Amino acid sequence: MWLDIVTGVLVSILSEIAESTLKPILRHIGYLFCFKKIVSDLTEAKVGLEKKKQAMQDTIEEAVKNTEVVENDVQEWLTNVTQFIEEVQTLENQIQIDKMCCKGCCPDWIWRYKLGKQATQKTITAVKLLQDARDFKQLTHRAPTPGIEIFSSSDDCEVFESRKLIFEELMEALRDDNCKRIGVHGLGGVGKTTLVKKVYKKAKDLFSDIVMTTVSLTPDIRKIQGEIADCLNLKLDEESKSGRAKRICLRIKQAKKILIILDDAWKDVDFEAIGIPSIEDQEGCKILLTTRSEHVCILMHCSKKILLKFLSEEESLALIKKNASIFYDSPALNDVVKKVVEECKGLPIAIVTVGKALTGKSLDDWKEALQQLRKSRLVDIYGVDEEKNAYSCLKWSYKHLKCKAKLCFLLCSLFPEDYEIEIEQLTRYAMGLEEYEDVNLLDEARSQVRVAINQLQDSSLLLKGKNKQYVKMHDMVRDVGLWIASKGENEFKLRACTRIEKNTNLESVTAISLMASNTEQLLDKWVCPRLNILLLGRNKCSREISTTLFEGMNCLKVLRLEDKILASQSLQFLTNLQSLYLKNCDFSDNLSSLGKLKKLETLSFHRCGMAALPNELGEMESLKMLDLTACDKLGRIPPNVIQRLSRLEELIIGLSFKNWDVEGTRAEISNANVSELNSLPRLVMLSMWLELKHLPQGFVFPDLQRYKISMYNDSFFYKLNSKALEIKDLNASSMNAFKVLFRTVEYIQIESCEMECIVDTTGGNHTVMFANLIKLHLANMSCLRTICEGPNHYVIFSNLTDFKADGCTRLVSLFSPTLAQSLKKLKKLYLQECNELKQIISEGGMILESHSQPICLPELQTIKVKNCGKLECMFPISVARDLPQLECLVLENLPQLKQVFGHEREGNVRNENYIVLSKLGKLRLENLIELGSLYGGNGSLVWPSLENLYVVNCPKMELSFIADVEANVQTLGKVILYILLSLFVFAFFFIKTYALTVF
């Protein structure tokens, strides 16, 4: 058995030896005796490799034509194969030389061995190269799209300081990780796209991927998806939009940091339809959009909104010179260029358009262009591209406005350059053109005009005016409006004319505006059969209007006359007139012909010189508004005229008329009675002046939506949309005239009225009063004891911001607990000359124990109390703890005041070491002879914002106040201290401790 084992072992050893020695020996022998086979194999491998290389090169050549790029490993393979074939060719040449040696009689065995070995190795390499070629998944890939810099080389963002600042603001927002969506908005042609293209080029260091696509008014989702895929070098094989969106979303989510620029967005963009993930799904994704409307930025939830404004005059000049290729200095040309730039008003697209059109042109060409611009005719300048210019850009914005916004836009263009356009006038003109037939009330039309104006402002087609009641229009935008209107190519068939020259044909004109015209003479008669709106302002022509001027204007609906003298009979031909606005006009007759204007809806006499209104005014059966603002000469409104205006909604008289009829008296000339107001069932707005004697017995003002009713000769009248009352010299019973209005009043001033209380609920009158009140001023109310008599939980001052009481000599306490609890919005509290006032909040109101609610005045900013001889304490400490907004505290001439913030009632003491008045900046204490401390607690007061401390004649001030001042002053960088005290030690203490200025 052991013999079998030994034999097996020996056989295994011998076989191993044979394998390890015989195979190499046989291989090396093969180099000599299998030489032809080796060479044949090499040739075959070489030919196969050459064919593969050629096939790959053919494929690559076709791919390159389609802008594809060779894969790096494929390019390396081709290079290696080329080099390899060259090496094989060299080897084959050597083999041919070997065959020729010794004349074929005796092979050179050493040389053949060497060549056979090399050929075998080359064959192995060839096989491996062929295998590598089979392993390639793809030979080429789509080339990444080039950066936008190849399409645009504008450096305006860097040249102009205004753009540079905006650019830096944008880049800072892109660096902010908390800012995910950024909106750039502004007028069309102001340079938004140019700006974001600059961002595209400069933000590459901040993002791994940057995508830019144009959205436009009607987004083509498939096109947008394609542009995004191109930027990301993403191949979209899916046919459906939803499938492509999913592929794009997946690719965006893979990006570490990606910026998506959406240019020219007109409305909310559907991210899901495109394939853009939400912020929650991809934290590294930022959106930068451009739009003409700020509202789009809001819809898109942009955390950063940037308004791109117009260029400065200096920047505009530089831009036009660049585009017109003006590189030399010519004083004559420079003067004209500056004037051309002024007409462009800083709008880049207008400047570029004009500059390119005038490149290389003569001085005369520039002068002609200036004249065309002054006539609002940019497109008439020779060389201006009719398809690509400022007008076409802005007209695009106009075309996509809603109908009523378009009308407001065209009406605004009729006003002169840089004119402050009153929105109220705009409303009356729009209504007069009958484009608001779907509304019945003036307020409804006014709201719709506001909506239209907001749309225009969002699109930057209108600018903000001097206040909320006015708007302005950029001059170039106005020119576009006039251009559109002058062509008559609008749905309103509005064809405008803003200058009238000799022999001008007006037969097709529907709108004429000469508000700022240099027309020297108005013709006696104009033939304007289609004219709808006529606006005549101050000009060089005579003030007098011919009685025949309007004879040929049968279709006129809106008429505005300023600084003219006319007879009302000249208006009798205007039977279709709907809106008449007269400003600074005088009249040569008694206005009786106005009664023939049966369709007139709004009639405005602004600063007009008539002495009386005609009886015939009552015949205006369609009149909705009568405005008599600032008609200071108006002495008579005949009886029954007002009450016959049954459709009247708004009556604006103001201080113009003061001769209301007095009931129970006889006058030589009778006038309208206030009671006529109750005969106007549609009346919603009233502005008027009156006295106590003008109030008929039992009269009550109707329920109005807006009103300004005053009994002051020097009244300050509030805005048209307010609810304001100024009441004077009334007794308690006469106050009933205003009882309906007390439910809605916002601003009220009551002076010298014989009233013991403002509201009396003892008789069971539980109507909620003053819930909308914002300001309440009481003056010289010598009988007033309290604000509310009886249960006062129905009197809630929840919106009151300003309270002032002056000369209320019998007033003992100001607010009851319930009233004090409602003062959540009170900001200003002024008290003066209230000699009997002991408490601002009545004793029972320091703490509402039944509800455990401390009185809180969270918005109170200013407290000023002067000359209230019996006031002992301002507030309890609990109120002091809840004055977070208090900025100014002024107390003067309060001889009985012992503490500003008094002791807490028993059971309501809160253990706090200090009270913080965090915003108190000014503290003035003057002539408080009994004042010992600011408060009655055991802790300290902290005033970290104090800047001005004024203390004069407070002789009993305790050392605790000194400690408080010392502690607070040490925490301040700078504080102004004015202290005059009768205590010499106190003064010396401050002089020693702080560089004190003593006055």
Side-chain angles (χ1 to χ4, degrees), residues 110 132 136 189 266 379 459 503 548 592 635 648 664 714 761 771 840:
I110 297 175
D132 289 345
F136 290 139
W266 287 72
V379 290
S459 303
N503 300 322
T548 59
S592 59
L648 197 67
D714 55 349
T761 62
I840 292 177

PDB file of all heavy atoms in Angstrom, residues 110 132 136 189 266 379 459 503 548 592 635 648 664 714 761 771 840:
ATOM      1  N   ILE A 110      18.386  32.291 -34.657  1.00  0.00           N
ATOM      2  CA  ILE A 110      18.340  33.287 -33.543  1.00  0.00           C
ATOM      3  C   ILE A 110      17.428  34.458 -33.920  1.00  0.00           C
ATOM      4  O   ILE A 110      16.592  34.901 -33.116  1.00  0.00           O
ATOM      5  CB  ILE A 110      19.773  33.772 -33.224  1.00  0.00           C
ATOM      6  CG1 ILE A 110      20.621  32.602 -32.734  1.00  0.00           C
ATOM      7  CG2 ILE A 110      19.730  34.909 -32.197  1.00  0.00           C
ATOM      8  CD1 ILE A 110      22.076  32.952 -32.506  1.00  0.00           C
ATOM      9  N   ASP A 132     -11.098  45.151 -25.775  1.00  0.00           N
ATOM     10  CA  ASP A 132     -11.381  46.462 -25.165  1.00  0.00           C
ATOM     11  C   ASP A 132     -12.404  47.234 -25.994  1.00  0.00           C
ATOM     12  O   ASP A 132     -13.292  47.908 -25.446  1.00  0.00           O
ATOM     13  CB  ASP A 132     -10.088  47.280 -25.047  1.00  0.00           C
ATOM     14  CG  ASP A 132      -9.150  46.724 -23.985  1.00  0.00           C
ATOM     15  OD1 ASP A 132      -9.614  45.910 -23.157  1.00  0.00           O
ATOM     16  OD2 ASP A 132      -7.954  47.096 -23.985  1.00  0.00           O
ATOM     17  N   PHE A 136     -16.595  48.888 -24.950  1.00  0.00           N
ATOM     18  CA  PHE A 136     -17.050  50.287 -24.894  1.00  0.00           C
ATOM     19  C   PHE A 136     -18.578  50.356 -24.948  1.00  0.00           C
ATOM     20  O   PHE A 136     -19.198  49.789 -25.876  1.00  0.00           O
ATOM     21  CB  PHE A 136     -16.479  51.097 -26.059  1.00  0.00           C
ATOM     22  CG  PHE A 136     -14.987  51.342 -25.966  1.00  0.00           C
ATOM     23  CD1 PHE A 136     -14.175  51.258 -27.081  1.00  0.00           C
ATOM     24  CD2 PHE A 136     -14.412  51.647 -24.747  1.00  0.00           C
ATOM     25  CE1 PHE A 136     -12.816  51.482 -27.003  1.00  0.00           C
ATOM     26  CE2 PHE A 136     -13.047  51.868 -24.653  1.00  0.00           C
ATOM     27  CZ  PHE A 136     -12.241  51.780 -25.778  1.00  0.00           C
ATOM     28  N   GLY A 189     -37.684  96.122 -21.445  1.00  0.00           N
ATOM     29  CA  GLY A 189     -36.601  96.876 -22.084  1.00  0.00           C
ATOM     30  C   GLY A 189     -35.688  97.588 -21.126  1.00  0.00           C
ATOM     31  O   GLY A 189     -34.800  98.346 -21.541  1.00  0.00           O
ATOM     32  N   TRP A 266     -44.365  85.712 -17.117  1.00  0.00           N
ATOM     33  CA  TRP A 266     -45.527  86.614 -17.105  1.00  0.00           C
ATOM     34  C   TRP A 266     -46.575  86.196 -16.083  1.00  0.00           C
ATOM     35  O   TRP A 266     -47.476  86.963 -15.773  1.00  0.00           O
ATOM     36  CB  TRP A 266     -46.172  86.641 -18.491  1.00  0.00           C
ATOM     37  CG  TRP A 266     -45.365  87.391 -19.499  1.00  0.00           C
ATOM     38  CD1 TRP A 266     -44.186  86.991 -20.057  1.00  0.00           C
ATOM     39  CD2 TRP A 266     -45.667  88.664 -20.070  1.00  0.00           C
ATOM     40  NE1 TRP A 266     -43.736  87.944 -20.947  1.00  0.00           N
ATOM     41  CE2 TRP A 266     -44.643  88.985 -20.981  1.00  0.00           C
ATOM     42  CE3 TRP A 266     -46.717  89.575 -19.925  1.00  0.00           C
ATOM     43  CZ2 TRP A 266     -44.614  90.155 -21.718  1.00  0.00           C
ATOM     44  CZ3 TRP A 266     -46.701  90.739 -20.671  1.00  0.00           C
ATOM     45  CH2 TRP A 266     -45.650  91.029 -21.556  1.00  0.00           C
ATOM     46  N   VAL A 379     -40.563 105.509 -33.949  1.00  0.00           N
ATOM     47  CA  VAL A 379     -40.525 104.617 -35.112  1.00  0.00           C
ATOM     48  C   VAL A 379     -40.359 105.372 -36.414  1.00  0.00           C
ATOM     49  O   VAL A 379     -40.092 104.763 -37.459  1.00  0.00           O
ATOM     50  CB  VAL A 379     -41.813 103.753 -35.170  1.00  0.00           C
ATOM     51  CG1 VAL A 379     -41.820 102.737 -34.060  1.00  0.00           C
ATOM     52  CG2 VAL A 379     -43.054 104.635 -35.106  1.00  0.00           C
ATOM     53  N   SER A 459     -46.670  95.936 -13.732  1.00  0.00           N
ATOM     54  CA  SER A 459     -45.961  95.753 -15.001  1.00  0.00           C
ATOM     55  C   SER A 459     -45.002  96.905 -15.283  1.00  0.00           C
ATOM     56  O   SER A 459     -44.433  96.961 -16.374  1.00  0.00           O
ATOM     57  CB  SER A 459     -46.975  95.638 -16.146  1.00  0.00           C
ATOM     58  OG  SER A 459     -47.877  94.584 -15.917  1.00  0.00           O
ATOM     59  N   ASN A 503     -55.072 123.382 -40.420  1.00  0.00           N
ATOM     60  CA  ASN A 503     -55.665 122.444 -41.384  1.00  0.00           C
ATOM     61  C   ASN A 503     -55.619 120.991 -40.918  1.00  0.00           C
ATOM     62  O   ASN A 503     -55.678 120.071 -41.734  1.00  0.00           O
ATOM     63  CB  ASN A 503     -54.972 122.570 -42.747  1.00  0.00           C
ATOM     64  CG  ASN A 503     -55.093 123.966 -43.328  1.00  0.00           C
ATOM     65  OD1 ASN A 503     -56.136 124.609 -43.198  1.00  0.00           O
ATOM     66  ND2 ASN A 503     -54.016 124.433 -43.966  1.00  0.00           N
ATOM     67  N   THR A 548     -69.921 128.176 -29.957  1.00  0.00           N
ATOM     68  CA  THR A 548     -70.140 127.191 -31.029  1.00  0.00           C
ATOM     69  C   THR A 548     -69.047 126.122 -31.085  1.00  0.00           C
ATOM     70  O   THR A 548     -69.096 125.249 -31.969  1.00  0.00           O
ATOM     71  CB  THR A 548     -70.187 127.903 -32.391  1.00  0.00           C
ATOM     72  OG1 THR A 548     -68.942 128.601 -32.601  1.00  0.00           O
ATOM     73  CG2 THR A 548     -71.346 128.885 -32.446  1.00  0.00           C
ATOM     74  N   SER A 592     -77.843 127.758 -16.467  1.00  0.00           N
ATOM     75  CA  SER A 592     -79.144 127.094 -16.571  1.00  0.00           C
ATOM     76  C   SER A 592     -79.151 126.002 -17.640  1.00  0.00           C
ATOM     77  O   SER A 592     -79.935 125.048 -17.542  1.00  0.00           O
ATOM     78  CB  SER A 592     -80.236 128.129 -16.889  1.00  0.00           C
ATOM     79  OG  SER A 592     -79.936 128.805 -18.111  1.00  0.00           O
ATOM     80  N   GLY A 635     -72.550 130.931  -3.022  1.00  0.00           N
ATOM     81  CA  GLY A 635     -73.366 131.455  -1.930  1.00  0.00           C
ATOM     82  C   GLY A 635     -74.760 130.880  -1.883  1.00  0.00           C
ATOM     83  O   GLY A 635     -75.479 131.056  -0.895  1.00  0.00           O
ATOM     84  N   LEU A 648     -78.071 110.407  -7.126  1.00  0.00           N
ATOM     85  CA  LEU A 648     -76.803 110.926  -6.602  1.00  0.00           C
ATOM     86  C   LEU A 648     -76.204 109.966  -5.564  1.00  0.00           C
ATOM     87  O   LEU A 648     -76.873 109.553  -4.616  1.00  0.00           O
ATOM     88  CB  LEU A 648     -77.012 112.300  -5.968  1.00  0.00           C
ATOM     89  CG  LEU A 648     -75.736 113.133  -5.748  1.00  0.00           C
ATOM     90  CD1 LEU A 648     -75.133 113.551  -7.082  1.00  0.00           C
ATOM     91  CD2 LEU A 648     -76.039 114.371  -4.902  1.00  0.00           C
ATOM     92  N   GLY A 664     -87.105 127.338  10.646  1.00  0.00           N
ATOM     93  CA  GLY A 664     -87.862 128.261  11.493  1.00  0.00           C
ATOM     94  C   GLY A 664     -87.534 129.721  11.270  1.00  0.00           C
ATOM     95  O   GLY A 664     -88.033 130.583  11.978  1.00  0.00           O
ATOM     96  N   ASP A 714     -61.988 126.352  10.020  1.00  0.00           N
ATOM     97  CA  ASP A 714     -60.647 126.091   9.499  1.00  0.00           C
ATOM     98  C   ASP A 714     -60.386 124.584   9.492  1.00  0.00           C
ATOM     99  O   ASP A 714     -59.337 124.110   9.897  1.00  0.00           O
ATOM    100  CB  ASP A 714     -59.585 126.810  10.332  1.00  0.00           C
ATOM    101  CG  ASP A 714     -59.692 126.459  11.811  1.00  0.00           C
ATOM    102  OD1 ASP A 714     -60.696 125.841  12.190  1.00  0.00           O
ATOM    103  OD2 ASP A 714     -58.767 126.811  12.569  1.00  0.00           O
ATOM    104  N   THR A 761     -75.185 104.596  27.632  1.00  0.00           N
ATOM    105  CA  THR A 761     -75.847 103.301  27.429  1.00  0.00           C
ATOM    106  C   THR A 761     -76.839 102.989  28.550  1.00  0.00           C
ATOM    107  O   THR A 761     -77.350 101.877  28.636  1.00  0.00           O
ATOM    108  CB  THR A 761     -74.805 102.171  27.343  1.00  0.00           C
ATOM    109  OG1 THR A 761     -74.100 102.097  28.585  1.00  0.00           O
ATOM    110  CG2 THR A 761     -73.830 102.411  26.208  1.00  0.00           C
ATOM    111  N   ALA A 771     -66.261 101.114  17.066  1.00  0.00           N
ATOM    112  CA  ALA A 771     -65.403  99.952  16.836  1.00  0.00           C
ATOM    113  C   ALA A 771     -64.351 100.223  15.773  1.00  0.00           C
ATOM    114  O   ALA A 771     -63.300  99.585  15.747  1.00  0.00           O
ATOM    115  CB  ALA A 771     -66.250  98.748  16.421  1.00  0.00           C
ATOM    116  N   ILE A 840     -56.072 107.991  35.068  1.00  0.00           N
ATOM    117  CA  ILE A 840     -56.234 107.714  33.646  1.00  0.00           C
ATOM    118  C   ILE A 840     -57.102 106.474  33.481  1.00  0.00           C
ATOM    119  O   ILE A 840     -57.993 106.428  32.642  1.00  0.00           O
ATOM    120  CB  ILE A 840     -54.861 107.530  32.965  1.00  0.00           C
ATOM    121  CG1 ILE A 840     -54.118 108.874  32.967  1.00  0.00           C
ATOM    122  CG2 ILE A 840     -55.013 107.001  31.546  1.00  0.00           C
ATOM    123  CD1 ILE A 840     -52.740 108.824  32.387  1.00  0.00           C
TER     124      ILE A 840
END
